Amino acid sequence: MSFKPVILWTDALVYVLVAVIVIFAWQVRRHEHLLAPWRRVGHSASGMAALTILMFFIVIGLLDTIHLRPAIENGNGGSEAAYGVEVLSLLDLLATPLRTQVETTYSAPFATHLYARETVELPGGGQVREFPRLKFGGAHLQDPETQLFGDIATRAGTGAGLALLLWFLIATSVTAIVAHCRGERFVSTLSTIWQGITPVPWRAVFVTLALILLLGGAALALCSDYHILGTDKVGQDVFYQSLKSIRTGLLIGTLTTLMMLPFALLLGVAAGYFRGWVDDLIQYLYTTLSSIPGVLLIAATVLMMQVYMETHPELFDTIAARADLRLLFLCVILGVTSWTGLCRLLRGETLKLREMEYIQAAHAFGVSHWRIISRHIIPNVMHIVLITTVMDFSGLVLAEAVLSYVGVGVDPSTISFGTMINAARLEMAREPMVWWALFAAFTFMFALVLSANLFADAVQSAFDPRMKTLSALARTWRRKSIGKSA
Amino acid sequence: MNSVLEIQNLETVLHTELRPVWAVDGLTLQIMKGETFALLGESGCGKSITALSIMRLLPEAGEIVGGSIRLGGEDLLLLPEAAMRNVRGKRIGMIFQEPMLSLNPVMTVAQQIGEVLQRHFDLRGQAAEKRIVQILDQVGIPDAASRMNEYPFQFSGGMKQRIMIAMALAGEPELLIADEPTTALDVTIQAQVLELMRGLQQQGGMAILLITHDLGVASEMAHRVGIMYAGEIVETASREAFFRGPAHPYSRKLLAALPGRDRRKQGHRLDAIRGNVPSLSREFVGCRFADRCDQAWELCHQVAPGWTALTGEQQVRCHLFNQNFGSKIVKPAVSGQAGAPATLDAESWEFESFPSAGTEQSTPDGSLLSVTDLKVYFPIHKGLMRRVAGYVKAVDGISLRIDRGKTLALVGESGCGKTTAGKAMLQLIPPTGGSVRYNGVELVGLERNRLRRLRGEFQLIFQDPYSSLNPRMRIIDIIEEGMNALGVEDDGKEPKEKRVDELLESVGLPAETKWRYPHEFSGGQRQRIAIARALAVNPKLIVCDEPTSALDVSVQAQILNLLRELQRNLGLGYLFITHNISVVEYIADEIAVMYLGRIVERGTVDEVLGSPRHPYTQALLSAVPVIELESKRKVIRLHGDLPSPANPPQGCHFHPRCSHVMPVCRKNYPGASIFSSTHTAHCYLYPQDEEQSDRKTQA
Ligand SMILES: Nc1ncnc2c1ncn2[C@@H]1O[C@H](COP(=O)(O)OP(=O)(O)OP(=O)(O)O)[C@@H](O)[C@H]1O
Ligand code: SF4
Ligand code: SF4
Ligand SMILES: [Mg+2]
C-alpha cells in the first residue's frame, strides 16, 4: 500500500524534542558530574518502576505521532495517486480492527449485545424490541450465553502466556547483559537481582514489566474480538480512544514546557542577572500575568482562535491539520500562562548565583555578559529547569482534561482524556449507568500521572544536592561487605 | 574516679553512595571533671562526627558500629532513644559552630531556653522566667529581663553564640561539647566568648570537650589536648607538655606550619605538610600519616603503630617512640620553642631582594596602586516606591598605596568593609567617590572597554575556594576563560594548553589535572587553581580576599609559601585582606587597620604590630589567641559589637567601645596623628597633625 507521510506541526515539534533529548543524553553520558544524579535516578526503585510504565506510554505516543495519508484505491490506476483526506498514524494502522469495528451505540465491556434496545425485524415478519447482537464484539460466538466466559478466559490466557514468554526473554537478556557488564556469572547476577540488592533496582523493573506485559498481552489478545472497555455513544471502541488520548496528554505535558522554557529561562535569568530596570520590568510583567486567572486568559484566546479558524477553513487541507493546530495553540497558550512560576524560581536562583565568587572572578577578567550568562549561569540553573519540567508535566496533563471539560480545550475531533470525560459526564446520569468511558479515561490518566509523579519525585530527590542516604536494603548489603573487608 | 566522659574504641561509619567512610575509627579518650579537653585536627578528620556520636545525633547515613561511650559510668550507646533524650540538653550540652543556624528564628530567646527548662526541670511560668534571666545574666547578655523576649535575629553574632551557650547551660550539664564555638566569630568577639566559657567552667566545674582546629584557641583554653588525624587520636598530652614538646611528627608539623613574624624574619618558608588529609573511605595499612611523614620508614607502611606512653600524661601513636624498634629512635625535639625541628629542613630565603620588578616605573613615586578617599555607599531602599532612605557607608574615604612587589595587609573585623574596599579598587563594585590610580591611570569612571583591556593587570583571589570555581567547568576551561576574554597569548606561538600546563605546574599541581572538575579537588588544591586562574592573565597586582581563612593550617602554609614565591619571582603587589594577625605578620610589609569603613591606623608591620597606637588596634592585637606557655597576657576587652555602618556613631567611630574615650571623641572624627613617615593613626590620644587637617578642610 502506498502512502504519503504527513508531518503535522506537533509531530515536527515532537521530533525536535526527541532529537534534543537524544543530544542531551549524549552530552550527559560524557560528563561525569552530569551523569551522577541520573545514576541516582537509576538507583531509585519507584523511579525506575515508574519509568518502565512511562516507557509504554511514550512508545504508544510516538507510534501515534508518525502520521501518513494512505493512497485511495481509485480503480483507474491513474498516473497520479490520490491520497485520502483522512490522516492516520502508525498506531491507527496497527489498531485498524479497533478503529474500524464500530458498533451503533453503547455497549458494555466484553458485551456481546448492545446496551440499548432496538427494534429488530424478525425473519418471519413482525418486530421485537430487544438487545441486538453486536456487529463485532463477540460476533464469532455461536451461543454467547454459554461460550462467552470460556472464550474470554482462553484468549486472555493465551495472550498472557505469550506475554510471559516475551517477559522471560527480556528478563534473561537484561540479566545476561548486566552479568556481562559486571563481569560476573549469570547465576550469581540472577540471585542478586532476585534478592533486590543490585544498584539499579532490576527486580522492581522486572516486576513492573511483568505486570504491564501480562495486562497488555491479555488486552491485545482480546481486543480484536471484543470491546474490552466497551463502546461509546457512537459505538467507537473506548480502548482505542484511551490509546489515542495518550499522545494528546503527553503532547500537552511536554510541548507546553517547550513553549514556556525560552520565556522562563531568558526572562528569569535576565531579571536576576541584570537587576535594575530589567528586573523591575520583568517582575512587573509576571506579577501582572500571574494575577489574571489563567482559565479566563486561555478561554479568551482559544475562543478567538476558534473563530479565526472557522472563518479561514482554506488554510487547512485536512481536519487533522486543523485539530492539530488547535492543539498546538493550546500548548502555546498554556505555556504563556505558566512560565511565571519557573521564571520566578530562576530569577531567585540567578540572584544567588550572580553573587557567587566565580561570577565575580569572570567579571574581573572582563568576560562579556552574554558569556557569563551562557557559560556560568545557565548550566548552573539547569537542574531547576529539569526538576520543574518534570514536576509540571502531570499538572499539565490534568489541566488539559479540565480545559476540555470546560469546553476550551482541544478540538472536539481530537481524542483526549478531556474530551472522553466530557462526553462521558452526561451518561453518568443515565439509568443504567454508562460507567466505562469515564472509568477508562480515569484509569489511563491515573496511571500516566502517577508514574510521571513518581518519576518526578525520583528525579527531584536525585538532584537534591544534600547528602544521599541509602535505602535500608542496600545498606544491609553494604554492611555485609564492610564486615567482609574489615 | 572522677572522669566524666570515657570513650573506648569508638567506631563510626557513614554509609555514603560509593563507599563507607570510617569517620571515627577506634577513638579513645577520657575527660575529667572540671577539665577542658581540646580535640584538635584538620577539617575532615572526624572531629564533628565524634561529637555527634557522643550525642547520638548522627546524620541518617551514620552509624556507630563499635566501642562504648560512658558518661559517668553509664554507657550511652546502650540507652534507648527515649532515655537518650533525657541526656541531651540535660547531662550533655552542645554548642555548634554556626549560631545563626542553631537557633530557631521564629521563637523568642526566652521560649527556646524555657523549652529546655520545662523539658528537664519541669519549670514553668514565673519560676522559669526567673531562671532564664539568671542564665542570660550569667552569659553576659545586658538587660536580660527585657531582651529575653526578642527574636534571635535581633541579636548580633557574638550575642547569638552567648545565647547558644546559655541554652546549653540551662540544663546544668556535666559535659559541654563545643564544636568550633568561635570559628564563625571575629577575634574580638572570640575573646569574649572564650573568656565566658572559662569563667563558667570555673563556677560550675563542668567538663568541656572543645573541638577546634585553632592551636591558639586550644592553647588558651585547654587543660589537655588530643590530636586527631584521619579518624583516630594520634597524640594526647597535657597542654604544657604538648606545646613545649609535641611528639608525633604530625603535631610537630602542625605547629611548624603556623605563620608568624619570627618565621618571616628568619626568612623561612613555612613548613607545610605535603599532600592532603587522606580520604577516610580508604583502608589503612600501617600508620595513617605515613604518606606525609618525613620520618617514615618501611615499618610505618606495614604496621599500624600502637600507643606509647612518654613522660607524664603524654601518649603518642608513632613507631619512633617504641623502644622495640630501637634502631630508629629519634628523641622528640624538646627545644622549648614550638616547631623548632622544622627549621632544620626549611630552606632559607632572601625575601627582600627580588630581582627586577621595579624597573618599569611609570609613576613618579613608584606606586602600583594608589587609592585616595575611596567611598562606596550602598543605598537603603524603603517603602513601596523604593525611596532611598539612607546609605550604608561600607567604605567611607580610605586612602592607601601599594608598591610593586610589596604586600599591604588590610585587617579588621568582619563587616568593616574590607572586601567591599578590595572589590571597589578593582572596579567590580562602582565606587561612590574617590580615585583609584593604577600605574598612573585613573580607573574610576573609565569606560567599560578601556577598563576591560586593563583587567588583566589586577586580579582577585577569593576566600572560599568552593564558591570561586564554577562546578560545571573543567579546570582547563576555567583557566582559559580569562585568557580568552582578555586575548592573552593569542600570538599562536605558544598554544594555550601549554600555558595552562605551565600555570598548573607553577602552583604545584600536575598538568593532567586540567581535565578534571573542581569537585575532585580539596580546598587547598582549589585555592591553587584559583591562583593559577588569576596568574593566567599576567597580573601585576592581586587582591587576596582572605585566601587562607577557609583552609587548614598545613594547607594555609602551602598557599602562603606559594604566594610569597610568586611575589619573589614575578614582583607581584598584593593587597592582602585578612583578619588573621599571624598571617599578616608573616606575609605583609605594611598594614592598614580598618574600622567601620575607615582606616584607623597604618604603618609598616613592625610599627603597627610592635607599637600599636590606636586603641582599636591594641584591642584587636590583644584578642588574638597565641601559643604561649605562660599565657598571662591581658586581653583588652571590647564591649559590644561593631556598630552598623548605616548609622555610624558621631565623632570617632570607635568611641562607644573605647576605654580611653574623651568628650572630644564624641564630637568630631579625629584627624591623622603622624608618628613616622609611614606610621599614622586617627585618635585624639595623640597630637593631631595640624598641617594635614588644615589641608583636609581646604580640600
Ligand atoms: N553526613 C555525612 N555523610 C557522609 N560523610 C560525612 C558526613 N559528614 C561528614 N562526613 C565525612 O566524615 C569525615 C569527618 O567529618 P567531620 O565533620 O567530623 O570533620 P571535622 O574534623 O569536624 O572537620 P571540620 O574542621 O571541617 O569541621 C569527613 O571525611 C567528611 O567528609
Ligand atoms: S609511625 Fe612512622 S609514619 Fe607514622 S608518624 Fe611515626 S614515623 Fe611517621
Ligand atoms: S579618638 Fe577617642 S574614642 Fe576614638 S579611639 Fe581615640 S581615644 Fe578612643
Ligand atoms: Mg567540624
Side-chain angles (χ1 to χ4, degrees), chain A residues 31 33-34 40 280 356-358 360-369 375-376 379-380 383 467-470 475 478-479 482 485, chain B residues 15-18 20 22 60-61 63 283 386 423 428 452 455 459 462 464 467-473 481-482 485-486 517 533 537:
Chain A
H31 295 280
H33 69 269
L34 296 176
R40 278 202 291 268
D280 288 345
M356 290 297 274
E357 289 174 341
Y358 56 83
Q360 304 249 341
H363 281 302
F365 286 119
V367 177
S368 66
H369 291 315
R375 304 244 311 188
H376 293 286
N380 281 299
H383 65 283
M467 193 59 195
K468 285 283 124 15
T469 55
L470 299 165
R475 202 144 134 188
R478 296 277 145 113
R479 203 174 304 167
I482 293 170
S485 68
Chain B
H15 300 276
T16 60
E17 279 293 305
L18 300 170
W22 294 84
E60 209 194 319
E63 187 189 7
E283 281 185 32
R386 323 257 315 264
K423 288 187 180 161
L428 290 174
R452 243 176 98 171
R455 283 267 182 227
Q459 277 304 311
F462 295 94
D464 182 3
S467 70
S468 65
L469 303 177
N470 186 343
R472 314 222 178 251
M473 279 164 78
E481 175 167 56
L486 295 171
Y517 286 91
R533 170 177 64 183
V537 293

Side-chain angles (χ1 to χ4, degrees), chain B residues 43-44 46-49 97 179-180 211:
Chain B
S43 87
K47 306 183 299 280
S48 300
I49 298 293
Q97 174 168 350
D179 187 359
E180 310 262 11
I211 293 176

Side-chain angles (χ1 to χ4, degrees), chain A residues 277-351:
Chain A
W277 65 267
V278 181
D279 189 20
D280 288 345
L281 191 75
I282 294 172
Q283 273 196 69
Y284 176 77
L285 193 68
Y286 71 58
T287 351
T288 315
L289 207 58
S290 59
S291 53
I292 303 172
V295 180
L296 268 186
L297 212 60
I298 295 168
T301 357
V302 167
L303 290 177
M304 265 159 56
M305 187 190 61
Q306 215 171 325
V307 170
Y308 177 81
M309 284 182 169
E310 267 155 27
T311 50
H312 298 81
E314 71 282 0
L315 291 179
F316 314 100
D317 48 358
T318 55
I319 300 175
R322 204 187 74 182
D324 178 75
L325 207 66
R326 181 156 168 187
L327 178 62
L328 183 64
F329 264 105
L330 188 65
C331 292
V332 174
I333 294 159
L334 273 175
V336 169
T337 50
S338 64
W339 58 273
T340 52
L342 180 59
C343 183
R344 198 174 274 156
L345 274 181
L346 289 178
R347 172 179 172 269
E349 185 68 14
T350 312
L351 278 179

